[in-house]
Amino acid sequence: AQTIHQWPVAEIKAVGSPLSLGCTIKGKSSPNLYWYWQATGGTLQQLFYSITVGQVESVVQLNLSASRPKDDQFILSTEKLLLSHSGFYLCAWSRDWGQDTQYFGPGTRLLVL
Amino acid sequence: GDSVTQTEGQVTVSESKSLIINCTYSATSIGYPNLFWYVRYPGEGLQLLLKVITAGQKGSSRGFEATYNKEATSFHLQKASVQESDSAVYYCALSPNTNTGKLTFGDGTVLTVKP
């Protein structure tokens, strides 16, 4: 069975500080990977997707970046956090590209002060 | 672009009563999108509840049902008799008939089931 793990579970960070959120998928080789973000009271938005190692595509510009250093790992980061980055970050994976079902991790809650 | 509308932000239902959560969608691409219901229980991550990929078909899971109505562009979620454990946030979502991996969500509906 496939498992998806996100770290950390929650973070409180200062404006202007760096951020790194991680996601690991176990039990599936070459998954498609996705980052989503939900502001408090807002809608879930897809931020990035990756079909293969080393390749990441941006969907929404939020002064964030993403990388896929390994087949099973997806990293979301920024060098300078903004207040508007607060929210809930979800990592997801799918087997096939296109319309395939996406399965989500437990999420990371971020509060920027 | 694509959009998903859930008209109720919050719904409160008494245990053993019926439930309907409304979802309508608009997809700009040619062809029919795949439609999903996801659920987030308190303290947990987002889980797939059910999925329907063919217009006119019905999906079901855990006593919930949703029918893909392409004429009304709707995908309402229904349950005949809710339980307190159904209290959660429910999200309707669509994946367009394009090779983009895009998933568009509604704003979510908070369901509270009163004992």
Side-chain angles (χ1 to χ4, degrees):
Chain A
Q2 297 81 17
T3 58
I4 177 169
H5 174 61
Q6 286 188 244
W7 71 93
V9 172
E11 281 258 53
I12 299 176
K13 302 278 280 186
V15 170
S17 63
L19 174 76
S20 181
L21 304 181
C23 172
T24 300
I25 317 299
K26 295 300 182 188
K28 174 73 180 81
S29 62
S30 305
N32 301 297
L33 298 175
Y34 312 84
W35 277 112
Y36 287 81
W37 169 71
Q38 183 179 33
T40 302
T43 306
L44 270 161
Q45 299 182 65
Q46 191 181 85
L47 300 179
F48 298 94
Y49 66 83
S50 172
I51 299 175
T52 190
V53 175
Q55 289 190 349
V56 177
E57 298 296 328
S58 174
V59 178
V60 173
Q61 288 298 327
L62 280 181
N63 291 310
L64 295 168
S65 60
S67 64
R68 186 169 176 178
K70 300 179 186 178
D71 185 51
D72 63 353
Q73 196 173 80
F74 207 18
I75 306 296
L76 185 71
S77 61
T78 183
E79 293 185 2
K80 274 191 170 183
L81 278 166
L82 307 172
L83 284 174
S84 57
H85 286 138
S86 292
F88 193 53
Y89 289 84
L90 284 165
C91 180
W93 70 274
S94 68
R95 280 188 187 82
D96 299 316
W97 185 243
Q99 291 184 284
D100 195 28
T101 300
Q102 294 181 24
Y103 299 94
F104 289 80
T108 294
R109 193 161 295 282
L110 173 67
L111 178 61
V112 182
L113 299 174
Chain B
D2 301 331
S3 66
V4 176
T5 301
Q6 293 178 240
T7 51
E8 306 97 354
Q10 295 197 33
V11 172
T12 300
V13 181
S14 297
E15 200 165 27
S16 80
K17 298 298 184 184
S18 64
L19 167 74
I20 181 164
I21 297 177
N22 294 308
C23 172
T24 56
Y25 66 89
S26 172
T28 55
S29 58
I30 296 172
Y32 299 113
N34 289 354
L35 299 176
F36 306 81
W37 277 102
Y38 285 86
V39 57
R40 187 155 82 201
Y41 296 102
E44 298 185 18
L46 203 60
Q47 302 176 23
L48 177 68
L49 180 60
L50 57 86
K51 164 186 174 180
V52 180
I53 64 172
T54 304
Q57 297 295 309
K58 180 167 67 178
S60 59
S61 173
R62 307 180 210 176
F64 289 90
E65 295 181 340
T67 299
Y68 190 152
N69 186 328
K70 64 180 175 64
E71 288 81 18
T73 62
S74 69
F75 192 54
H76 306 320
L77 184 68
Q78 301 183 69
K79 189 173 187 183
S81 175
V82 296
Q83 302 170 337
E84 204 174 344
S85 57
D86 293 326
S87 295
V89 185
Y90 292 81
Y91 295 92
C92 185
L94 79 79
S95 177
N97 188 25
T98 57
N99 198 31
T100 60
K102 190 82 183 292
L103 194 58
T104 299
F105 285 87
D107 289 340
T109 297
V110 178
L111 171 65
T112 302
V113 179
K114 289 189 169 180

